[in-house]
Amino acid sequence: MITPTILVVDFGSQYVQLIARRVREQHVHSIIVPPTITAEQVREHRTVGIILSGGPSSVYADGAPKLADPRVLEMGLPTLGICYGLQLACQMLGGAVSAASAREFGRTHLTVTREDPLLAHIAPHSVVWMSHGDVVDRISEDFIELARTDNSPFAAVRHRTRPFWGVQFHPEVTHTPCGEQIFRNFLYDICRCEGDWQVGNFTQDIIEGIRERVGPKARVICGLSGGVDSSVAAVLIHKAIGERLTCIFVDNGLLRNRETELVESTFRRHFHIDLRVADAAEAFLQRLDGVTDPQQKRIIIGHEFIDVFRREAEQLPGVEFLAQGTLYPDVIESGHSVGGHAVGIKLHHNVGGLPAELGFKLLEPLRDLFKDEVRRVGEHLGLPEEIVWRHPFPGPGLAVRIIGAVTPRRLDLLRACDDIVLEEIRAAGWYRKIAQGFVVLVPVSTVGVMGDDRTYADQHVAAVRFVESADFMTADWVRIDHDVLANISTRIINEVRGVNRVVYDISTKPPSTIEWE
Ligand code: XMP
């Protein structure tokens, strides 16, 4: 890695992603690493500074995560410990730290007691965000107190001889207004970062990383879904290894209108990527015939997808790598489920199910990035706005947006409604303000009146759902202009024969989920 990098050591903090983000917002490259990192690995990454994250454990608890290799703190690299990271480092650097039971959660007043580069340009009395059960209440001579709060005598400290700083509060959350300044102080004044990490350099770094990993001969296949992540991954890989990349797009018959055309025109015609479109609509629909259970639908679609993909891949000799558009939040999410923390609400199917089955090596060029960063890379690469800014679309596609059995007619009805909704929110300037917008087809007949006729038989309800969400783990329904809803409703009922009622879903997640199935 040629880019100067800040390593963020993850001790299980719920804020670890935020820390990495704050660093990148200062145009400094950062990656998140586990506490098992060794001094040799730190050297491999052109590391210019280290941040030790917070974490849910108490440093005194049995099994509390430790830095596996204490040499990491002895390499002379500037290090900032946050909350748990502060306590752990104090303990490791010979400080006799003891924890009192005073807890601090939420907004707290900080008093800066000593001038220091870490707290430069910060008001002597500032508001910070605390979230901890242990308090460092005694500390060895090796440390100097820099700031305190009513309950934390050592709310900020530094080591006398080593380049170590620690804060008990969370500078990474927006509730700590001076947090951005603290990151700037640490990154620019202490770690001497230049702040020159721009999307262009970073894109180039990723491309070079791909070249190095894949080597001069190997071939790569990439399952392209048309979503922003796999699209950006594909273009990056193509820039790195050109025609040794083949993309496979599976048309499962459960896509929105014109999906296949958009993918073909973008990747084959614009980027000149070797794209194979597997037209498997009939096979998917046959397998789904009469299936009404949502999880069953996902399982069938998942298996069929793997079968189709495998068949396509077998026609391409010499493929060593399978590329995926996995993002950092996906890594975290799957990590959590491996640890058993996440409850299986829905059996999400995506390309993530492929590698073990197919025996390829995995290539994940976006593994350290967040969605908005991927979008910036996508824009930089010249991907069309329609791809860069598109809402997420579930792997099982429209099959989980038709309640009950999936039939060709229901798919046609849903696609027609979906088209109208997307057109209207784009025209009204709402598309980019909505995290995810879609229609669910509810095959329930309700009574309507059209002209002088009663409608009932063979009618459906169309449920419109627009949500705002930062991470799709929680979501709220969008308070969209009523005029937009009115246009959508009128158009669907006038234009889609078979739908005589439109409703707007006003459920939050939790307790509801975003998709209906
Ligand atoms: P839920 O419905 O669980 O959705 O609140 C959260 C996000 O995940 C998407 N989703 C899926 N994505 N395969 C996917 O690839 C799936 O089976 C699946 N189910 C839901 C959903 O669209 C939302 O963005």
Side-chain angles (χ1 to χ4, degrees), residues 298 346-350 392 394-396 436 472 509 513-515:
R298 281 190 169 81
K346 286 182 190 182
L347 193 67
H348 282 203
H349 144 72
N350 45 37
Q436 198 170 4
F472 300 91
K509 173 183 179 175
T513 52
I514 294 176
E515 305 288 347

Side-chain angles (χ1 to χ4, degrees), residues 448-455 459 492-494 496-501:
V449 52
M450 281 200 185
D452 292 331
D453 288 330
R454 175 182 189 267
T455 57
Q459 293 296 321
I492 289 181
I493 292 172
N494 282 349
V496 185
R497 276 170 192 270
V499 175
N500 68 347
R501 189 173 298 272

Side-chain angles (χ1 to χ4, degrees), residues 120-323:
H121 314 297
I122 285 173
H125 299 282
S126 298
V127 169
V128 296
W129 187 261
M130 288 283 194
S131 174
H132 63 102
D134 283 348
V135 169
V136 177
D137 72 344
R138 197 160 54 79
I139 205 158
S140 80
E141 294 279 290
D142 294 331
F143 290 88
I144 309 171
E145 171 204 318
L146 302 178
R148 53 171 53 231
T149 67
D150 284 348
N151 284 323
S152 286
F154 303 102
V157 299
R158 72 173 291 180
H159 196 277
R160 276 181 206 282
T161 53
R162 291 170 189 268
F164 176 81
W165 285 257
V167 290
Q168 183 61 72
F169 55 89
H170 289 275
E172 69 273 26
V173 304
T174 48
H175 304 291
T176 298
C178 59
E180 188 184 337
Q181 184 65 51
I182 293 178
F183 275 104
R184 262 194 245 145
N185 293 341
F186 180 67
L187 297 171
Y188 298 135
D189 299 336
I190 296 175
C191 300
R192 302 272 162 214
C193 295
E194 307 241 316
D196 53 3
W197 176 78
Q198 304 291 350
V199 71
N201 317 73
F202 189 62
T203 305
Q204 202 48 41
D205 278 355
I206 302 178
I207 293 172
E208 279 161 26
I210 297 169
R211 246 179 233 140
E212 213 170 281
R213 173 102 206 280
V214 175
K217 292 204 190 80
R219 300 191 66 89
V220 177
I221 45 169
C222 176
L224 200 58
S225 71
V228 58
D229 308 339
S230 62
S231 299
V232 170
V235 176
L236 284 167
I237 298 166
H238 186 246
K239 292 226 179 278
I241 60 162
E243 60 187 22
R244 284 185 286 136
L245 167 73
T246 300
C247 289
I248 297 175
F249 177 79
V250 176
D251 182 350
N252 58 11
L254 306 166
L255 305 171
R256 290 176 146 152
N257 268 343
R258 295 179 299 280
E259 275 299 274
T260 314
E261 289 88 324
L262 175 69
V263 167
E264 281 185 325
S265 70
T266 305
F267 295 94
R268 192 177 285 155
R269 288 197 276 283
H270 182 75
F271 285 104
H272 306 292
I273 289 178
D274 176 20
L275 169 72
R276 314 281 164 103
V277 176
D279 180 2
E282 218 167 287
F284 275 87
L285 291 190
Q286 258 171 23
R287 294 274 185 103
L288 285 170
D289 190 28
V291 178
T292 55
D293 177 69
Q295 300 301 67
Q296 208 50 40
K297 287 181 187 175
R298 281 190 169 81
I299 290 169
I300 292 170
I301 293 166
H303 286 162
E304 189 61 28
F305 182 82
I306 291 170
D307 282 352
V308 174
F309 199 89
R310 180 186 284 128
R311 255 179 273 135
E312 291 292 324
E314 276 166 6
Q315 292 173 22
L316 301 163
V319 173
E320 234 178 273
F321 290 90
L322 172 71

Side-chain angles (χ1 to χ4, degrees), residues 398 401-402 410-418 439-441:
L398 300 182
R401 293 181 178 170
I402 291 171
R410 287 178 180 173
L411 279 166
D412 286 345
L413 288 176
L414 180 52
R415 283 198 189 100
C417 296
D418 196 66
V439 187
V440 176
L441 190 77

Side-chain angles (χ1 to χ4, degrees), residues 455-477:
T455 57
Y456 180 73
D458 198 30
Q459 293 296 321
H460 301 73
V461 175
V464 178
R465 181 124 167 97
F466 298 141
V467 295
E468 50 188 28
S469 173
D471 54 9
F472 300 91
M473 306 294 281
T474 61
D476 197 2
W477 54 279

